[in-house]
Amino acid sequence: MNGAGRFITFEGIDGSGKSTQARHLDGRLREEGYDTLLTREPGGSPGAEEIRALVLEGDPDRWSAETEILLFTAARRDHLERTIWPALEAGKVVICDRFVDSTRMYQGLSRGDLRAQVDALHELMIGTEADLTLLFDMDPGLGHQRAKARATAEERFEDFGEGLQAQMRQGFLALAEEFSERFRVVDAGREIDAVAEDVARIVLEHLR
Ligand code: ADP
Ligand code: TYD
């Protein structure tokens, strides 16, 4: 349990529609009378947004995977202290676009097996897990296309290429089995409204 509130995280490859669906869900929950907080990682607090620019911009080889674990975890700690924990204490439903499962995948898998280091640092410095995690599962080629079409400066991970996306998809599906109690897998390769209906049904069921 996370205070009086509920902590819901969205995970999946780049371009799988997480941000779009997070906004839809936030609107829907407000209509249903829930007090919500919509946030994202890396970022979600002023300090963590500064770290976001460090990790998402620049050359793919700018940081080693080990250094990234430290940077993403530092950003997460600040985000929790200043944004997430106070909202959960206040009884809100927190919707967070990416959380530690992204670190378990992107830093834990992409450049060798660092999963044990990610989990150890998480236990030591973070501790909090989501109550419910939605995995937006889709074809990695399509996700990569959608993500590249956005054309922002935040392309460091997209520049690792489509191969990384395919590896992340398989990794996320395996993680959903490992943590089957809190994960629900959503087919994200459909129309926005169809995906949003599934998401609302799963989350409202969970909240009731
Ligand atoms: P993510 O946060 O997972 O990277 P976004 O929500 O930013 O994904 O979506 C990536 C791009 O794809 C955006 O341009 C968005 O408008 C578009 N998009 C999102 N969901 C769908 C969908 N179901 N069908 C087609 N395009 C979509
Ligand atoms: P995000 O802005 O969610 O990208 P997208 O909308 O394309 O899904 O996240 C940017 C990148 O940061 C994404 O490629 C995944 C990466 N990332 C990590 O590598 N580790 C992490 O712990 C987090 C939260 C994100």
Side-chain angles (χ1 to χ4, degrees), residues 13-20 97 146 150 188 190-192:
I13 60 174
D14 299 350
S16 57
K18 297 178 299 299
S19 316
T20 305
D97 187 351
R146 281 193 199 167
R150 282 184 306 215
R190 296 171 294 156
E191 297 282 312
I192 291 178

Side-chain angles (χ1 to χ4, degrees), residues 11-19 40-43 52 55-56 68-69 72-73 76 97-107 110-111 143 147 150 154-158 160 164-165 168:
E11 297 283 0
I13 60 174
D14 299 350
S16 57
K18 297 178 299 299
S19 316
R40 66 159 183 191
E41 291 207 348
R52 178 181 177 97
V55 286
L56 297 191
E68 281 173 17
I69 294 174
F72 279 107
T73 306
R76 182 161 302 129
D97 187 351
R98 293 194 185 277
F99 193 64
V100 61
D101 295 316
S102 284
T103 319
R104 290 186 170 113
M105 294 295 97
Y106 286 80
Q107 282 64 51
S110 66
R111 285 149 288 170
R150 282 184 306 215
E154 295 180 337
E155 298 204 337
R156 200 170 148 254
F157 284 91
E158 284 149 26
F160 278 102
L164 175 72
Q165 294 270 83
M168 293 298 102

